[in-house]
Amino acid sequence: VRERLPLFVVDVQGTLPKFPTHGGFSGPRGLSEDQLPAWGPGVNVGGQVYLVRSTRVSFGVGATYVFSRGSKSPEAEEGQSVGVGPVVVTKYRGLMPQVSINFGHRLGWSYISGGLGQSTLTINRDDAPEEVGAATRTINYGGGARWFMKDHLAFSIDLRFFAMNPVEAGIGAYGNPRKTMMIFSTGVSFQ
């Protein structure tokens, strides 16, 4: 028997974002592209409430908080024991409200979702003052699925894109160009 989706679900996932490394991010900070970390682990915590539920298509609203951090140390040249240059740390954080369209039933369903929120991307080097960064309007969109192994516990995956507006340079911030960042998440869901 196909049952309707639960009233709500909570997700706790590990993330692996693809950080920006091109010259628009490295140049203003006095770095080369290969000095920036390309990947950084993180966490994604969120929830959805399903306001309209059926056995085939359901509609939900919710929000996700994403935090990730990646670092890169300078690589040692041949004959050196340590690299020359700064340690660079990239941090991304965002709070993203979302609406979702869900296809399936209580034991497993897929979804597409999107929304508009705020996020901050900072790139710091250990030999310079810490960048404060400024929040920017961010559109998020993507999809995923949940498969329930037990009554209240599921395995979940999500692939999401975060389209960030540009940030002007200012006090404590180098500024960032417009960028779309991809984040893959996997973890557990609770209903």
Side-chain angles (χ1 to χ4, degrees):
V1 175
R2 293 169 60 97
E3 293 184 55
R4 296 184 306 170
L5 267 60
L7 182 58
F8 70 92
V9 69
V10 175
D11 298 310
V12 179
Q13 300 172 324
T15 66
L16 190 59
K18 174 74 172 90
F19 288 137
T21 58
H22 66 73
F25 291 88
S26 60
R29 294 163 173 91
L31 299 166
S32 63
E33 293 182 17
D34 63 346
Q35 288 179 288
L36 298 183
W39 302 92
V43 66
N44 175 11
V45 179
Q48 289 277 317
V49 175
Y50 301 105
L51 303 174
V52 178
R53 300 178 295 152
S54 77
T55 57
R56 299 209 184 276
V57 178
S58 300
F59 298 91
V61 296
T64 291
Y65 175 75
V66 179
F67 175 80
S68 57
R69 179 187 185 277
S71 66
K72 188 168 185 182
S73 299
E75 295 179 13
E77 301 277 331
E78 190 173 322
Q80 294 178 327
S81 59
V82 294
V84 177
V87 174
V88 179
V89 176
T90 300
K91 291 181 186 176
Y92 179 77
R93 63 181 65 85
L95 181 59
M96 305 292 160
Q98 298 170 350
V99 294
S100 67
I101 302 172
N102 304 267
F103 308 94
H105 52 84
R106 188 177 196 95
L107 296 179
W109 67 91
S110 58
Y111 60 88
I112 55 173
S113 62
L116 178 64
Q118 296 275 324
S119 69
T120 305
L121 177 75
T122 57
I123 300 171
N124 290 293
R125 42 188 298 164
D126 68 349
D127 61 352
E130 186 168 346
E131 179 180 359
V132 176
T136 186
R137 190 177 308 218
T138 304
I139 297 171
N140 77 90
Y141 54 93
R146 298 177 179 95
W147 297 276
F148 279 84
M149 305 162 287
K150 298 189 175 187
D151 286 344
H152 299 286
L153 179 66
F155 170 73
S156 61
I157 60 170
D158 186 271
L159 180 63
R160 190 152 303 279
F161 297 90
F162 295 85
M164 298 174 278
N165 279 351
V167 175
E168 297 291 326
I171 298 172
Y174 289 97
N176 291 324
R178 182 178 306 276
K179 172 67 180 164
T180 299
M181 193 168 73
M182 178 183 73
I183 298 182
F184 175 73
S185 305
T186 184
V188 293
S189 298
F190 304 94
Q191 67 176 359

